[in-house]
Amino acid sequence: MYGASALADKTHRSMRLTDPFMMYSIIAGIMFVLIVAQGDLGMGVSFALIVVFTLVFAGVNWRVPVVVGVFGAIGMITVFLAGGFRSHRFHTYFDALRGNIEDTQGTGFQAYQGFLSLADGGFWGVGLGQSRAKWFYLPEAKNDFVFAIIGEELGLWGGALVIVLFAVLGYFGLRTATARRTSSSPCWPPRCRWVLSCRPSSTSATSSVCCR
């Protein structure tokens, strides 16, 4: 919301610190460092994506997101090669892409349980509120893996409906943000773009882990 308000009707003219885009980037960078310092790299990456989306929608010079993307890719490769639980999460994700989760009782336990939840749901689901996986079998069933519970209770059609609804949200959010309409608030379009980048992108990230 701060970015949408600060960058509304602004033009990126220079890389100086006095430029509103640079000020916003510096503040966002400090917040990113604080989030990562707490050990929550996943939230830090999500936050960084929202910041980049906000800058792009506000009209920042294309060199800025390119540089951020390069450093982000280097950082992800470093995390992947460094080992530890974050590296294991990458390996589990790629194993799930191939449909072969090797360590189903260790690092791949959560992803494997998500597979089982979706498989139990089938096409029609087991019924609303009738999920068995949420009773201690599936870790983080109430947040990160809630899509697996939806797929188990409502089946394939229920999971597809959730994806379609968020796609519709993204479409109408972009349509509203780009429409030429009179508004008493000049930051109305950037706020729409912020919602557009925040909700669908975070939802697609969490649901893709369950589906892979």
Side-chain angles (χ1 to χ4, degrees), residues 92-100 115 212:
T92 300
Y93 184 82
F94 292 132
D95 288 343
L97 284 176
R98 298 192 300 268
N100 181 27
F115 277 171
R212 297 276 180 203

Side-chain angles (χ1 to χ4, degrees), residues 52 62-78:
V52 171
W62 63 270
R63 291 176 295 178
V64 175
V66 168
V67 171
V68 173
V70 170
F71 279 103
I74 295 174
M76 290 295 102
I77 294 174
T78 302

Side-chain angles (χ1 to χ4, degrees), residues 18-55:
T18 55
D19 187 88
F21 285 80
M22 294 299 100
M23 289 295 298
Y24 171 70
S25 300
I26 292 173
I27 295 174
I30 295 173
M31 296 179 66
F32 172 78
V33 171
L34 293 175
I35 294 173
V36 174
Q38 293 180 345
D40 196 346
L41 181 61
M43 180 59 68
V45 172
S46 299
F47 174 77
L49 287 175
I50 295 172
V51 171
V52 171
F53 276 129
T54 304
L55 290 171

Side-chain angles (χ1 to χ4, degrees), residues 65-136:
V66 168
V67 171
V68 173
V70 170
F71 279 103
I74 295 174
M76 290 295 102
I77 294 174
T78 302
V79 171
F80 178 75
L81 298 177
F85 76 95
R86 293 191 179 98
S87 178
H88 292 158
R89 295 180 70 178
F90 278 103
H91 286 288
T92 300
Y93 184 82
F94 292 132
D95 288 343
L97 284 176
R98 298 192 300 268
N100 181 27
I101 301 177
E102 297 179 357
D103 190 5
T104 58
Q105 297 300 317
T107 57
F109 179 79
Q110 186 173 6
Y112 182 67
Q113 291 297 321
F115 277 171
L116 295 180
S117 299
L118 292 173
D120 288 343
F123 185 84
W124 296 109
V126 298
L128 193 63
Q130 301 302 312
S131 169
R132 293 183 293 272
K134 65 184 178 183
W135 301 115
F136 308 110

Side-chain angles (χ1 to χ4, degrees), residues 148-206:
I149 302 303
I150 294 175
E152 182 184 8
E153 294 186 351
L154 301 181
L156 177 62
W157 73 269
L161 178 62
V162 171
I163 295 174
V164 169
L165 288 175
F166 274 99
V168 170
L169 172 64
Y171 169 75
F172 282 103
L174 182 60
R175 181 179 176 182
T176 303
T178 56
R180 294 183 178 179
R181 55 181 296 178
T182 302
S183 176
S184 59
S185 174
C187 60
W188 167 254
R191 284 177 178 171
C192 295
R193 293 167 185 150
W194 178 81
V195 173
L196 166 67
S197 62
C198 178
R199 295 312 312 160
S201 61
S202 60
T203 302
S204 62
T206 54

